Amino acid sequence: MFRDPGIETLGRADLERLQLSRLQALVARLHERVPFYRERFAEAGVTAASIKSLADLRRLPFTTSADLRDTYPAGLLAVPMDEALRLHTSSGTTGRPKALFFSPRDVDNAAELCARSFVATGLTARDVLQNMMTYGLFTGALVAHYGAEKIGCLVIPAGPGNSEKQLALMQDFGTTAVHLTPSFALYFADFLDGKGPEARKPLKLRRAFVGAEPYSVKTRDKIEQALGVEVFNSYGLSEMNGPGVAFECEKRAGMHLWEDHFILEVIDPKTEAPLPDGESGELVLTTLCREAMPLVRYRTRDITSVVPGPCACRRTHRRLARITGRADDMLIVRGVNVYPQQIEHVLMAIPQVGRNYLILLEGRDDMTVQAELAHGESEMNEEQRVLLESEIAARLRSEILTKPKVKLLPPASLPASEGKAKRVIDRRTL
Ligand code: DLL
């Protein structure tokens, strides 16, 4: 069952003392058990004894996703294979997947952090959680499932897709909370719209835990309005257990990163210099409690910042700002750096635009943004559509500094996504 809530309000000095002792133990264990790290530590000239303060973390080498792929399948395992209890793989978009092993304690800790996160949003044993993430190798569903069970919620392992069935489950079992990706949330919202207001009436939904991919504030607002819920941002990655790494509390003012389990750094991705609170850079995480596959200074590629100052909820664990994208997601179009998130932000602020869009890069360097019209806008005539397309193109131009072509499509004409959406298709022949 859910334990030790006192850890969330532990004073900063105690929290840092705990981090330091866990870090020292980690370096000693990796040195003893994982040849990959033994070599890396030797190259960097560090031993467990050289970690005297948290600032010494910076003397340790980074670990990258390429390291995980190069050592696939089990090169970073720190326990004998027969002590591993569970395997997940990451939904790598390119190349070999990453294999992530969990010891019995890792499985329990991962669930514990999810339980802690859910409780921080106000979830209790009386809630009914419909888990609409994909069950399987992806951490998103299983880890959260066990987390909610720890609290004593009734958990419905619905998985994604099949909106009719989802709605029936919600109506029949009084679902109060859902856990899903923003792209499926938008899709499901569209489905509900199509059903009319009667379908919503019997619903008891109050909370949606939304994560596993970046989404803008505007998208969050659309989800809240369409589902009649409060959305809580949920951040995690398979390399660090999956969901439950950082989560918004009931104040919804940034995501508390559970610092008794992870050390966070935000660095300039190019110079690797540490950045002060409030400045955006790449998130780097070190696991403090993982047994089967601990990682040191893992380059997440996720772009975020630390929210300065304390949270009104009194938890002492620092908060991450909304992830604005991945360092890998950055597109260079006609020499300009563009993040898909910037495009989403503009599109979702336009009421006539629906909830699905696609960025196409073709030819030498041509960008077309395809966006579905909102329900109710399908009657728009040709002239109005062309006018709106050019207005959107102009708004995009001022956000991303290059002018794409904009093509508005009828509702539900782009491929729907249940898990993580593919928003960019790059067929350039540069
Ligand atoms: O997506 C774990 C997860 C499941 C988190 C369910 C939250 C909810 P991976 O498949 O390994 O694991 O993908 C991790 O997804 O590095 C981010 O780029 C992105 N991501 C996850 N949560 C968020 C979020 C899971 N709230 C990668 N906002 C991460 C933005 C997110 N991006």
Side-chain angles (χ1 to χ4, degrees):
M1 264 304 160
F2 184 59
R3 45 170 203 246
D4 199 9
I7 194 82
E8 294 168 50
T9 48
L10 197 65
R12 196 73 221 165
D14 287 335
L15 191 53
E16 290 185 359
R17 252 193 299 280
L18 179 67
Q19 286 189 318
L20 178 61
S21 70
R22 287 185 171 170
L23 179 65
Q24 288 163 332
L26 172 76
V27 173
R29 261 186 86 236
L30 286 176
H31 189 270
E32 185 192 316
R33 296 187 177 206
V34 183
F36 168 90
Y37 275 117
R38 195 178 310 134
E39 280 164 33
R40 288 282 175 98
F41 292 165
E43 280 165 27
V46 282
T47 60
S50 36
I51 306 295
K52 296 198 168 64
S53 74
L54 282 180
D56 290 327
L57 176 72
R58 287 212 285 281
R59 301 177 55 189
L60 295 170
F62 290 113
T63 310
T64 63
S65 62
D67 294 329
L68 263 72
R69 295 205 163 91
D70 293 347
T71 53
Y72 179 91
L76 291 177
L77 199 60
V79 295
M81 184 66 97
D82 59 4
E83 281 177 28
L85 189 68
R86 196 198 287 172
L87 173 78
H88 280 287
T89 62
S90 95
S91 48
T93 42
T94 48
R96 282 203 279 194
K98 294 168 233 164
L100 292 318
F101 294 92
F102 289 61
S103 71
R105 208 158 121 207
D106 294 336
V107 167
D108 190 56
N109 278 338
E112 180 70 25
L113 289 187
C114 271
R116 186 194 287 181
S117 304
F118 290 149
V119 168
T121 71
L123 206 74
T124 70
R126 287 186 298 283
D127 277 287
V128 178
L129 177 81
Q130 193 157 320
N131 196 3
M132 296 158 79
M133 289 280 182
T134 305
Y135 279 79
L137 286 166
F138 177 48
T139 51
L142 275 175
V143 170
H145 180 113
Y146 289 111
E149 283 189 352
K150 257 184 196 270
I151 307 169
C153 297
L154 172 65
V155 185
I156 307 178
N162 202 344
S163 299
E164 289 285 356
K165 180 82 182 273
Q166 302 280 4
L167 180 60
L169 288 167
M170 287 173 188
Q171 290 170 339
D172 297 346
F173 300 102
T175 301
T176 58
V178 288
H179 177 224
L180 74 183
T181 60
S183 23
F184 189 46
L186 290 174
Y187 178 78
F188 187 70
D190 252 355
F191 163 83
L192 269 188
D193 272 358
K195 287 268 161 196
E198 284 307 304
R200 265 196 195 86
K201 269 198 190 143
L203 296 184
K204 300 202 173 106
L205 289 178
R206 288 189 58 195
R207 294 183 178 81
F209 307 122
V210 179
E213 53 183 3
Y215 57 111
S216 62
V217 175
K218 293 276 181 243
T219 294
R220 180 199 65 190
D221 295 347
K222 282 206 168 186
I223 299 171
E224 295 202 327
Q225 213 183 7
L227 300 186
V229 290
E230 270 193 331
V231 166
F232 295 87
N233 197 0
S234 149
Y235 171 77
L237 58 165
S238 323
E239 296 88 321
M240 305 282 138
N241 298 345
V245 174
F247 224 93
E248 279 182 332
C249 67
E250 70 275 20
K251 303 289 179 204
R252 302 198 300 158
M255 302 178 282
H256 291 280
L257 183 123
W258 302 124
E259 294 188 83
D260 52 330
H261 282 253
F262 307 100
I263 300 184
L264 85 86
E265 298 169 82
V266 176
I267 63 167
D268 178 319
K270 288 208 184 77
T271 65
E272 297 176 351
L275 294 174
D277 290 0
E279 267 186 46
S280 242
E282 180 181 344
L283 177 68
V284 174
L285 293 174
T286 298
T287 65
L288 291 175
C289 301
R290 280 187 64 81
E291 287 182 338
M293 207 171 145
L295 295 172
V296 171
R297 303 192 81 197
Y298 184 66
R299 304 278 301 253
T300 66
R301 313 301 287 153
D302 291 324
I303 306 295
T304 182
S305 59
V306 171
V307 178
C311 182
C313 76
R314 289 181 46 246
R315 286 180 185 82
T316 45
H317 301 234
R318 284 178 296 167
R319 292 163 295 158
L320 296 183
R322 185 171 293 276
I323 313 284
T324 51
R326 291 177 58 79
D328 311 338
D329 283 349
M330 194 184 76
L331 306 167
I332 302 180
V333 183
R334 297 180 192 143
V336 180
N337 298 349
V338 177
Y339 284 97
Q341 282 285 289
Q342 295 173 285
I343 295 176
E344 183 196 303
H345 186 76
V346 170
L347 293 177
M348 293 300 142
I350 299 170
Q352 297 96 323
V353 169
R355 301 185 177 112
N356 205 352
Y357 68 94
L358 191 65
I359 302 162
L360 278 172
L361 297 165
E362 290 168 311
R364 287 195 57 77
D365 220 355
D366 301 321
M367 187 198 293
T368 306
V369 175
Q370 299 185 334
E372 286 178 3
L373 282 165
H375 280 288
E377 299 292 338
S378 43
E379 303 299 301
M380 189 181 277
N381 69 32
E382 175 77 10
E383 196 182 328
Q384 290 167 321
R385 187 176 48 76
V386 171
L387 204 66
L388 183 58
E389 284 172 348
S390 68
E391 187 192 319
I392 296 172
R395 285 210 212 173
L396 285 168
R397 162 90 179 73
S398 66
E399 172 73 30
I400 61 176
L401 310 178
T402 176
K403 193 168 179 178
K405 264 191 234 132
V406 173
K407 183 104 197 75
L408 289 169
L409 303 168
S413 46
L414 288 172
S417 156
E418 297 174 351
K420 302 197 189 217
K422 187 161 173 52
R423 298 288 189 200
V424 181
I425 296 181
D426 195 344
R427 297 197 204 108
R428 280 178 291 187
T429 49
L430 289 175

